[in-house]
Amino acid sequence: MWKTTFRRIIMLIPQLIGVTLLIFILAEFMPGDAFSGRFVEDPTIGSEREEELRELHGLNDPWHIRYTRWVGDMLSGDFGLSLVHRRPVLEMVAERIGNTLLLSIVSIVIIYSFALPLGIIAGKNWDKPSEKIISFYNFVQMSIPTVVFAIVLQWFFGIILGILPLRGSIDVRVVNGTFFEIWGSRLQHVILPALSISLLSGVSVIRFLSNEINEQRHLDYTVTARAKGLSMDKVYRNHIFRNSMLPIAATSGSLIAGLFSGVLIIENIFTFQGMGQLFFTSVSQRDWPIVNFLVVFYSILTMAGFLISDIMLTIFDPRIRIK
Amino acid sequence: MKIERIPNFWDLSWAEIKKDKFAFVSFFMLIAVLIFSFVIPMFIDEGYTTRIILGQLNQSPQQFGRLGTDEGGRDMINMLFLGARNTFTIAFAVTILSLFIGYTIGLFSSYYGSYYDFIAVRVADFFIMVPTLMVIVVLITLSPNYGMWQFIVIMTSFIWTGGLLSIRPRVLQESAKDYVQASKTLGTPNYKIIFKKIFPNILSYMMVGTIISLAGNIGLETALTVIGFGLPIGTPSLGQLISRAMNPVVLANRLWQWVPAAFLVFLMTICIYGVGQAVSRAANPKQRR
């Protein structure tokens, strides 16, 4: 197992190089660098001095030297300064990462806590009314685009019922409050964005699981288990669920990876102070160091998601080994 | 003896659509909405509609008639038709372009196998790992004189790999079958095998993929425009009409400014999926109940 894991990690290296190269090429087209506009307030520093500084810091070097230096800086933990805020990129991201993590974790918990039971019920009662209802719900849910769903949720819970906050990630009035006040407000703010992400992502889980259970019910091993006198409940518990969970485990990585891009859009709609919101504000302010860092960061997260689902597959299903 | 024609994929799809009431209604609704949103804008003066008219800001349907006006005094119903036309144009263009590229590369690379296949899969894998949405947004901000066609090209260049990966297993399966081997032995040129033999056999899967990705692309345009990185300002689109709801005042009090567009997007997606389900039953006999 360690061998396959190690091999998978080695296989990720060319992909990482590809992603960083892509971002580097994009960065070439981004206007401005660390010195442009920095000395506007000081008239004694002319454009000659600016050019001199560029030469001194190696901004005029050929591209491969600058690329390796950029990657080397990132590997040693230096991600540069934000062009707009003049603060380390890492510090600005660190402020936001907690909120995004909270949103992602709550979403994942909601996805699996409603999608797994629904999928199992639908799979067990194939062609019965309960399955028809769940399929219908699934179909409608699948047809609602993310933004429309988020906005309808905002309108219903935030305005018609008026019980949940429309936007933001914490109430400004409780920032200096007690522990319970802060966390109460944070959870209140996280519910709507988490709901809009998780209800939509849950659709594929319900579908997959119910189809899988329905298929497994008619396989030979189920018939054998029944023939030797096992009750249907036990067959479900000991055989069918175990096998049907495999594809769920396998797709969990890509589900979580897909979740990240969903989080990007949802955070922006709810102005939830997470990394996605930081990304979009940075893009509109042309704050490229933050943008570059976040793109690299998200690619690594996506790769990690796929890696984890591969590893999980090898744990659950010993037949699969990557050669 | 009279030889009956074997029903092809189109006959089967039509039979499935007719059998499923929901798909049947969806099919005609879809065609109606498409005709309306491409024909009616021809009779709308686009320059006049998108202009700000100060005398009639934010009038409700009761005050103004029809669907009311927006914060610039523009007639909402005309904006809705123009927006629908632009959104659907983009969705169709992106779907057809990206799937044409993805399917063509997928057909050839998977048929020839060995290192063609290897390279194609590596490239597709790479695009999966890239945070597509982020790179699309960066490209949109960087591209000079940005407009509808730039938007289509940028979206296409990042989602074409979906088509490739979706048909690859089918093409591999089909290429390994005996009849393909027999054709090869008889000396049939490869391009003929691909277009005359493999392509018709996987056409049904391609159609299902096309329908599903059309719905996805309508959603993607809406999402990108709502967060402010879609079409340039001044080009009405459904996403832009929905994005008005980001303003809490509009969300709460001026329902007529965002509900019609949101509903139209929902209606289109649900109809597309309704037809898609029937077509996928025609393509895959296992799904028929």
Side-chain angles (χ1 to χ4, degrees), chain A residues 176-282:
Chain A
N176 295 318
T178 61
F179 176 81
F180 290 106
E181 277 173 353
I182 289 176
W183 274 93
S185 168
R186 286 187 78 176
L187 284 177
Q188 230 184 8
H189 281 81
V190 94
I191 291 174
L192 277 188
L195 263 185
S196 24
I197 295 165
S198 48
L199 290 186
L200 290 171
S201 308
V203 169
S204 64
V205 178
I206 297 177
R207 251 200 172 183
F208 243 74
L209 189 59
S210 58
N211 280 339
E212 197 64 30
I213 288 178
N214 181 47
E215 255 170 48
Q216 303 271 347
R217 278 197 315 171
H218 304 296
L219 291 185
D220 287 346
Y221 79 89
T222 317
V223 181
T224 316
R226 284 289 283 158
K228 73 181 189 196
L230 220 58
S231 70
M232 205 57 206
D233 272 351
K234 270 205 167 149
V235 178
Y236 273 125
R237 229 177 313 141
N238 297 341
H239 298 287
I240 295 183
F241 291 160
R242 235 187 121 85
N243 282 326
S244 312
M245 283 312 207
L246 271 179
I248 300 294
T251 49
S252 63
S254 52
L255 182 95
I256 291 168
L259 203 82
F260 289 131
S261 66
V263 168
L264 282 179
I265 292 175
I266 292 293
E267 272 183 5
N268 216 48
I269 291 177
F270 288 89
T271 50
F272 190 82
Q273 304 288 314
M275 290 195 295
Q277 220 247 335
L278 177 68
F279 174 76
F280 288 114
T281 38
S282 304

Side-chain angles (χ1 to χ4, degrees), chain B:
Chain B
M1 202 180 84
K2 196 178 148 230
I3 300 171
E4 274 192 34
R5 201 167 62 95
I6 302 166
N8 63 16
F9 167 65
W10 306 108
D11 301 333
L12 284 175
S13 304
W14 181 235
E16 283 294 333
I17 289 175
K18 268 199 293 193
K19 227 187 327 183
D20 184 348
K21 257 182 243 140
F22 182 73
F24 193 69
V25 175
S26 306
F27 184 71
F28 284 101
M29 195 106 87
L30 208 60
I31 290 177
V33 171
L34 285 182
I35 290 176
F36 277 134
S37 52
F38 282 99
V39 172
I40 292 184
M42 289 178 194
F43 303 103
I44 295 176
D45 182 355
E46 202 172 332
Y48 178 75
T49 305
T50 48
R51 204 174 297 147
I52 295 173
I53 301 166
L54 288 172
Q56 50 187 42
L57 305 184
N58 291 321
Q59 291 193 341
S60 72
Q62 287 83 19
Q63 294 167 313
F64 184 75
R66 298 197 275 190
L67 281 178
T69 59
D70 69 358
E71 79 285 341
R74 303 175 195 98
D75 187 354
M76 283 307 288
I77 187 114
N78 286 355
M79 289 292 278
L80 189 67
F81 279 117
L82 289 176
R85 184 198 61 190
N86 290 342
T87 296
F88 298 150
T89 310
I90 289 172
F92 275 104
V94 171
T95 308
I96 291 168
L97 264 178
S98 65
L99 289 183
F100 178 75
I101 298 172
Y103 285 161
T104 314
I105 295 178
L107 263 174
F108 280 93
S109 67
S110 316
Y111 174 78
Y112 285 109
S114 74
Y115 55 82
Y116 294 105
D117 187 46
F118 179 80
I119 292 170
V121 172
R122 284 286 135 233
V123 172
D125 267 354
F126 171 72
F127 275 96
I128 289 179
M129 298 294 179
V130 174
T132 318
L133 188 76
M134 291 175 138
V135 181
I136 287 179
V137 165
V138 171
L139 274 174
I140 286 174
T141 3
L142 286 180
S143 72
N145 52 45
Y146 168 68
M148 197 155 113
W149 287 103
Q150 276 83 354
F151 184 66
I152 291 171
V153 169
I154 291 172
M155 290 243 292
T156 304
S157 53
F158 279 89
I159 59 175
W160 63 272
T161 48
L164 189 157
L165 288 179
S166 72
I167 63 157
R168 179 172 170 266
R170 299 279 157 207
V171 180
L172 288 179
Q173 231 173 43
E174 212 60 40
S175 317
K177 281 186 180 162
D178 288 342
Y179 75 93
V180 174
Q181 291 305 318
S183 302
K184 270 188 193 166
T185 329
L186 285 172
T188 317
N190 285 326
Y191 73 91
K192 251 190 185 163
I193 299 180
I194 292 177
F195 288 116
K196 291 241 160 112
K197 308 227 144 74
I198 295 179
F199 176 70
N201 275 324
I202 58 165
L203 176 69
S204 54
Y205 293 99
M206 289 179 167
M207 277 313 292
V208 177
T210 311
I211 294 172
I212 303 295
S213 97
L214 181 64
N217 288 336
I218 292 180
L220 190 56
E221 187 279 325
T222 338
L224 277 173
T225 312
V226 167
I227 56 177
F229 293 94
L231 288 176
I233 301 163
T235 320
S237 78
L238 292 181
Q240 219 174 63
L241 297 180
I242 296 173
S243 72
R244 310 239 155 101
M246 300 277 280
N247 175 358
V249 180
V250 176
L251 184 70
N253 302 330
R254 298 185 208 139
L255 287 180
W256 71 89
Q257 286 183 356
W258 63 274
V259 170
F263 180 73
L264 188 60
V265 170
F266 171 63
L267 184 77
M268 278 302 280
T269 338
I270 204 166
C271 288
I272 290 172
Y273 277 126
V275 174
Q277 271 195 338
V279 175
S280 84
R281 273 199 298 275
N284 188 359
K286 248 193 187 167
Q287 286 180 6
R288 287 177 215 157
R289 290 190 183 174

Side-chain angles (χ1 to χ4, degrees), chain A residues 25-239:
Chain A
I25 293 167
L26 283 180
E28 289 290 283
F29 294 102
M30 296 171 183
D33 58 35
F35 296 113
S36 48
R38 199 167 177 176
F39 308 115
V40 177
E41 308 96 62
D42 195 347
T44 54
I45 301 171
S47 58
E48 301 88 30
R49 177 67 186 143
E50 215 177 293
E51 211 34 58
E52 235 175 273
L53 276 169
R54 278 206 183 96
E55 194 62 47
L56 191 71
H57 289 271
L59 293 180
N60 295 333
D61 291 349
W63 70 272
H64 55 272
I65 296 178
R66 277 179 295 135
Y67 172 71
T68 42
R69 193 187 300 135
W70 178 56
V71 173
D73 281 350
M74 280 203 292
L75 286 178
S76 59
D78 177 11
F79 298 100
L81 289 177
S82 149
L83 292 182
V84 176
H85 302 276
R86 294 282 160 215
R87 287 170 56 205
V89 169
L90 207 58
E91 202 180 292
M92 296 192 59
V93 174
E95 282 170 7
R96 304 296 193 98
I97 200 167
N99 276 333
T100 299
L101 262 181
L102 180 72
L103 178 57
S104 311
I105 291 170
V106 174
S107 309
I108 292 169
V109 169
I110 298 177
I111 290 176
Y112 285 111
S113 60
F114 92 93
L116 291 186
L118 281 186
I120 290 173
I121 293 170
K124 266 171 129 176
N125 304 307
W126 200 258
D127 267 343
K128 287 186 191 147
S130 52
E131 186 262 343
K132 292 258 160 75
I133 294 170
I134 292 173
S135 293
F136 178 73
Y137 157 77
N138 230 7
F139 180 72
V140 174
Q141 184 74 78
M142 183 176 73
S143 310
I144 310 178
T146 326
V147 277
V148 174
F149 188 57
I151 285 171
V152 170
L153 277 186
Q154 270 190 346
W155 174 72
F156 186 71
F157 287 102
I159 287 173
I160 296 296
L161 298 181
I163 48 174
L164 289 171
L166 277 185
R167 37 204 62 189
S169 50
I170 189 164
D171 197 329
V172 205
R173 283 165 295 178
V174 300
V175 169
N176 295 318
T178 61
F179 176 81
F180 290 106
E181 277 173 353
I182 289 176
W183 274 93
S185 168
R186 286 187 78 176
L187 284 177
Q188 230 184 8
H189 281 81
V190 94
I191 291 174
L192 277 188
L195 263 185
S196 24
I197 295 165
S198 48
L199 290 186
L200 290 171
S201 308
V203 169
S204 64
V205 178
I206 297 177
R207 251 200 172 183
F208 243 74
L209 189 59
S210 58
N211 280 339
E212 197 64 30
I213 288 178
N214 181 47
E215 255 170 48
Q216 303 271 347
R217 278 197 315 171
H218 304 296
L219 291 185
D220 287 346
Y221 79 89
T222 317
V223 181
T224 316
R226 284 289 283 158
K228 73 181 189 196
L230 220 58
S231 70
M232 205 57 206
D233 272 351
K234 270 205 167 149
V235 178
Y236 273 125
R237 229 177 313 141
N238 297 341
H239 298 287

